[in-house]
Amino acid sequence: MKKRRPAEAKSKPRARKSRPRARRSIGARYRGSPLPIGEQYPLPESELAARARAIESLLAEKGLVSSDMIDQVINAYEHDIGPMLGAKVVARAWIDPAFKRRLLENATAACAELGIGGMQGEHMICVENTPQVHNVVCCTLCSCYPWPVLGLPPTWYKHPQYRARLVADPRALLRDDFGLAIPDDVEVRVWDSSSEIRYWVLPQRPADTEHLSERQLAALVSRDSMIGVDRTRGAQARPGGSR
Amino acid sequence: MPPIEDRPVDRRVADVLPRRSGEPLFRAEWERRAFGAAIVLVEKGLVPFDDLRWRVTAAITTWERANLGHEESFNFFERWLLALERLLIDRGVVSREELNARAAERR
């Protein structure tokens, strides 16, 4: 792979020559930007943490932000799963048996009913987890993945170890790397996606979720459970999920 | 398509964050706090997002120029924190002395 290099760097070869010194005063050499606070950066991790704490406490003191507000923001972004429309499809299948049947027969067509589809999802097959069968998907050749329902693939999905070990010993991989122990009496089925067919998993609906709305159900469905490396957890597992 | 989470995220913000779509965003608690504090300011309308964004972008560019060939040591939130500090100082929200003094206390 070619080394990435900012376009401007070409006309300023001296940026490269002076690299060793630059580590002490990154900002000071940067012209045309009001950034140079740089006499302090880079900083050790402990100092960065102290400065972040200092900012938070000063902002709190001035009445501009509170810890609660920060927590809420962090929570929203940490759980932002991007275009994970699959959760919506799963929730619909959980409450609508006829839709579930159509989904398992032809996932691409069923998703299209909900306005979900497009590139990399032309031929999707949704496989159902049951008390007897646990499904998990991978792509042994590269990283084929049902984008329209799951968004971008996680980094580990592309790792050679995941792709190889999932086929060689799925139970061990799920247990060791994902903390998911599949009981011996449950069959594990591994599905190998390709550019022609992309698999994904319909997880089991958790117990005690009868009272939840379709939208609340969708919030329980994780990306990993639709890849098959996690199971769907109950409503109590998510802050604010049950009331 | 309404978002699945009740609390909507700002897509402009989500788009500048590294490793979206399920990957852990933060490696340390201070990264969480520095991120959250900045976004609260944006959400309350106290800081325009574009001001934060261009400073983060500039901080990253500065780093890249100084660290060609060492991209593996890049830390997005270190750059974020630098940009946030500068933003708060430039806007007169905190003074540099105040910030340095408080950081010394919080070490």
Side-chain angles (χ1 to χ4, degrees):
Chain A
M1 209 196 336
K2 261 182 103 174
K3 200 181 290 171
R4 197 162 49 92
R5 156 191 279 249
E8 304 92 320
K10 259 184 198 143
S11 56
K12 290 192 176 181
R14 114 195 122 76
R16 179 163 201 130
K17 214 168 67 186
S18 59
R19 190 204 307 143
R21 264 187 300 133
R23 291 197 74 83
R24 260 180 293 117
S25 60
I26 286 174
R29 289 169 47 258
Y30 189 73
R31 295 196 187 94
S33 148
L35 253 182
I37 189 176
E39 71 268 22
Q40 295 154 327
Y41 281 77
L43 294 169
E45 186 82 8
S46 60
E47 185 61 26
L48 293 169
R51 298 190 78 79
R53 281 195 292 269
I55 288 176
E56 183 177 346
S57 87
L58 286 169
L59 292 177
E61 220 167 82
K62 294 169 198 287
L64 298 173
V65 307
S66 71
S67 294
D68 280 354
M69 288 186 245
I70 293 184
D71 288 339
Q72 286 169 20
V73 163
I74 293 167
N75 186 54
Y77 283 87
E78 280 194 308
H79 294 124
D80 171 38
I81 37 188
M84 207 188 76
L85 301 175
K88 191 184 166 189
V89 180
V90 168
R92 175 63 58 87
W94 281 347
I95 61 166
D96 181 346
F99 177 78
K100 177 174 154 183
R101 219 165 26 246
R102 295 199 294 280
L103 177 67
L104 295 174
E105 271 165 21
N106 184 338
T108 305
C111 288
E113 288 178 31
L114 303 182
I116 296 167
M119 291 276 292
Q120 318 257 342
E122 291 89 348
H123 301 287
M124 296 190 295
I125 293 181
C126 185
V127 288
E128 183 187 16
N129 278 356
T130 67
Q132 293 80 36
V133 177
H134 181 87
N135 296 287
V136 55
V137 304
C138 69
C139 171
T140 53
L141 275 179
C142 45
S143 58
C144 297
Y145 191 74
W147 286 47
V149 282
L150 298 191
L152 294 170
T155 314
W156 50 259
Y157 188 81
K158 304 170 208 163
H159 282 175
Q161 294 96 320
Y162 174 76
R163 289 149 50 195
R165 270 190 83 203
L166 188 66
V167 174
D169 192 349
R171 282 175 200 276
L173 175 103
L174 291 174
R175 186 187 59 231
D176 300 344
D177 291 6
F178 294 94
L180 180 63
I182 306 292
D184 287 343
D185 59 348
V186 174
E187 181 190 346
V188 175
R189 291 184 190 159
V190 177
W191 301 87
D192 189 2
S193 289
S194 68
S195 55
E196 281 79 40
I197 298 176
R198 289 150 202 269
Y199 296 94
W200 55 286
V201 177
L202 174 61
Q204 290 188 80
R205 180 171 176 166
D208 305 324
T209 54
E210 295 75 17
H211 59 294
L212 296 184
S213 67
E214 183 174 349
R215 194 180 150 90
Q216 287 169 320
L217 285 170
L220 298 178
V221 183
S222 71
R223 176 202 64 192
D224 287 0
S225 71
M226 291 185 283
I227 298 176
V229 298
D230 192 11
R231 62 168 62 89
T232 307
R233 299 173 198 289
Q236 65 283 1
R238 206 175 182 99
S242 65
R243 52 189 56 179
Chain B
M1 169 63 199
I4 288 156
E5 290 290 330
D6 286 328
R7 193 180 189 293
V9 306
D10 185 333
R11 292 256 57 100
R12 298 172 308 169
V13 175
D15 286 345
V16 302
L17 291 175
R19 295 172 293 159
R20 288 183 300 124
S21 291
E23 294 299 292
L25 273 174
F26 308 105
R27 300 181 314 178
E29 186 57 22
W30 72 263
E31 297 182 350
R32 278 195 184 80
R33 307 314 293 179
F35 169 75
I39 299 307
V40 169
L41 293 174
V42 169
E43 289 193 352
K44 290 178 81 176
L46 297 167
V47 168
F49 176 67
D50 282 344
D51 192 1
L52 177 65
R53 174 165 54 189
W54 85 263
R55 286 169 191 276
V56 171
T57 307
I60 291 171
T61 306
T62 309
W63 188 94
E64 286 179 338
R65 288 186 180 186
N67 295 277
L68 283 173
H70 296 269
E71 284 82 2
E72 70 288 345
S73 63
F74 178 73
N75 178 355
F76 177 85
F77 288 103
E78 186 241 17
R79 297 287 96 192
W80 180 282
L81 182 64
L82 166 60
L84 175 61
E85 278 188 18
R86 189 65 203 187
L87 180 149
L88 295 175
I89 293 166
D90 283 356
R91 289 185 162 258
V93 180
V94 300
S95 73
R96 184 177 302 192
E97 295 70 32
E98 197 178 17
L99 184 57
N100 286 342
R102 185 62 58 93
E105 286 170 26
R106 300 287 158 134
R107 227 164 261 158

